[in-house]
Amino acid sequence: MAKILVTGGLGFIGSHTVVELQNKGFEVVIIDNLSNSLISVLEGITAITGKKPEFENFDLKNKQGLKEFFERHNNIDGVIHFAASKAVGESVNEPLLYYENNINTLVYLLQEYKNRYIANFIFSSSCTVYGQADTLPITEEAPVKPALSPYGNTKQIGEEILKDVCHVNPQFNVVSLRYFNPIGAHESSQIGELPLGVPQNLVPFITQTAIGKRNELSVFGNDYPTHDGTCIRDYIHVVDLAKAHVIALERLLDKQNKKDFEIFNLGTGTGSSVLEVIKSFERVSGEKLNYKFAQRRAGDVVSVYADTKKANLELGWKSKLTLDDAMRSAWKWEQKLSKL
Ligand code: WQD
């Protein structure tokens, strides 16, 4: 069976994707520098699938290390590239850290990989490239807007780099997956979201508030032009997202498919407001969440949700799990973490 390199494979989406790859019989090797994850995630993956993926702990900024990696692993059939810094707020304060970590590493990876006969490459991108889209739901044809953060800019630049590389390297087949808002955890509670430090994202902040690690959730703004005044996002269960990666990879490995660069939006196609996410959490957990309305957060867009027709029709993929499924799994995972 094909051997797949998963960079950032011990991260939130990466670890769930490794599980789905192993479930489909792929051989997996992970590169992760553990800057935003823990080695215990490797045990979690192994506990779920019964197969311990190969793992190499090094930083993709280490050009020599990467060269030696490909000399040791000269039979890789595809790469899923998750490894990147991803905190929007942090990227505003540390732009150079983000450009070095997200762009240089992509270039080094491509430099090592472009000499291979067939280069199948899946790029982890984000709906953040659309900014506040003029039309909702958002299709892949929606214009990429000037980035609202260096993090978002690194995703836009990453896609441009891949387009240019595909243009001159016909052996490259690339799929860029633009995620909306990944949430939830594997049903086994062996793996899930592991925000190190104060969570920036909504769902881990909700579950940490409910478990007592945080005092209160601040809802960043309830005066937006939406049905209940709070921002709308397309929250997709991380397991649905992981399964989409396996389907996209199988499409690349199928030699019949000759498109060199494709983009897919990965969302549920439904928007949910912050208050609706809170209500979903309270419904599935039976907990009353302690929250207050606070000032808007700089950089937030009002409403974002995906038009998923292209992924549904061309990938044959559709999200199956609901917001309640995701909140239930996130809560179960938080309760498990609190017992560790
Ligand atoms: C969701 C909503 C907040 C926290 C970002 C990146 C995106 C991807 C996911 C990496 C917003 C509100 C949040 C809180 C709140 N990242 N909120 N109180 O900003 O939509 O997307 O993370 O791949 O690329 O842009 O996600 O979870 O931070 O916020 O009210 O304590 O929840 O204002 O409306 P976001 P988020």
Side-chain angles (χ1 to χ4, degrees):
M1 192 57 165
K3 181 170 182 177
I4 308 303
L5 165 60
V6 181
T7 72
L10 295 185
F12 177 37
I13 306 167
S15 55
H16 288 81
T17 301
V18 168
V19 164
E20 299 308 325
L21 285 167
Q22 290 190 317
N23 287 345
K24 290 298 284 287
F26 286 99
E27 188 188 345
V28 175
V29 55
I30 294 168
I31 293 176
D32 200 302
N33 67 359
L34 294 173
S35 64
N36 192 26
S37 184
L38 302 172
I39 192 63
S40 58
V41 174
L42 193 59
E43 292 147 33
I45 293 168
T46 310
I48 296 169
T49 64
K51 287 173 277 186
K52 184 172 185 177
E54 273 189 86
F55 165 60
E56 297 210 14
N57 174 1
F58 73 86
D59 191 314
L60 293 178
K61 290 196 284 293
N62 174 353
K63 278 184 83 167
Q64 186 54 32
L66 197 52
K67 186 174 180 52
E68 289 162 8
F69 172 87
F70 276 105
E71 283 161 4
R72 286 196 304 279
H73 299 270
N74 55 14
N75 58 343
I76 284 175
D77 301 294
V79 177
I80 306 182
H81 180 45
F82 291 105
S85 302
K86 62 155 212 168
V88 173
E90 180 188 54
S91 78
V92 173
N93 301 321
E94 299 280 356
L96 290 178
L97 185 148
Y98 272 68
Y99 288 115
E100 182 187 36
N101 194 43
N102 293 7
I103 302 297
N104 293 15
T105 55
L106 173 63
V107 171
Y108 300 158
L109 190 55
L110 293 171
Q111 282 172 332
E112 285 309 319
Y113 200 49
K114 78 174 172 58
N115 304 323
R116 310 184 62 75
Y117 176 63
I118 288 282
N120 298 303
F121 196 94
I122 294 182
F123 180 63
S124 168
S125 188
S126 168
C127 64
T128 205
V129 302
Y130 298 114
Q132 176 55 69
D134 303 324
T135 315
L136 292 170
I138 304 176
T139 69
E140 289 81 356
E141 286 64 51
V144 169
K145 292 229 177 134
L148 296 172
S149 69
Y151 160 74
N153 206 19
T154 65
K155 292 303 179 184
Q156 292 181 11
I157 295 167
E159 289 187 348
E160 291 306 314
I161 290 171
L162 286 161
K163 268 186 219 156
D164 291 344
V165 169
C166 286
H167 186 63
V168 288
N169 293 281
Q171 82 279 17
F172 252 102
N173 295 319
V174 172
V175 167
S176 181
L177 299 177
R178 291 175 177 172
Y179 313 148
F180 282 66
N181 286 56
I183 62 169
H186 192 268
E187 60 185 1
S188 64
S189 293
Q190 292 289 349
I191 54 174
E193 194 164 4
L194 260 183
L196 304 182
V198 178
Q200 300 305 303
N201 294 126
L202 177 65
V203 171
F205 208 106
I206 286 176
T207 56
Q208 287 194 10
T209 301
I211 206 85
K213 275 183 83 171
R214 308 287 161 206
N215 293 330
E216 179 181 58
L217 170 77
S218 295
V219 173
F220 296 141
N222 67 327
D223 57 351
Y224 283 99
T226 63
H227 64 281
D228 64 12
T230 63
C231 292
I232 291 170
R233 296 289 184 276
D234 186 334
Y235 295 95
I236 176 169
H237 197 299
V238 65
V239 172
D240 273 333
L241 194 57
K243 290 181 173 170
H245 285 75
V246 179
I247 292 171
L249 178 73
E250 288 168 335
R251 178 184 172 84
L252 286 177
L253 294 171
D254 168 4
K255 301 288 180 286
Q256 313 312 318
N257 166 50
K258 281 290 160 263
K259 287 207 186 97
D260 60 1
F261 184 84
E262 291 186 281
I263 293 171
F264 293 100
N265 285 346
L266 295 183
T268 65
T270 302
S272 301
S273 72
V274 175
L275 283 177
E276 285 166 338
V277 174
I278 292 171
K279 293 283 165 288
S280 168
F281 173 76
E282 292 182 332
R283 188 165 51 243
V284 301
S285 65
E287 302 281 331
K288 183 88 186 74
L289 188 74
N290 185 21
Y291 69 92
K292 69 177 180 191
F293 292 117
Q295 288 303 313
R296 294 182 173 192
R297 179 174 68 176
D300 273 340
V301 292
V302 182
S303 180
V304 166
Y305 53 94
D307 179 317
T308 59
K309 275 198 278 305
K310 186 179 176 194
N312 301 156
L313 296 174
E314 295 189 26
L315 283 185
W317 167 88
K318 186 166 174 45
S319 63
K320 293 189 170 66
L321 297 165
T322 66
L323 178 61
D324 281 10
D325 293 329
M327 295 312 288
R328 189 177 298 112
S329 64
W331 179 229
K332 209 176 136 208
W333 166 245
E334 188 67 62
Q335 292 173 302
K336 158 89 181 285
L337 282 179
S338 69
K339 295 191 183 80
L340 296 182

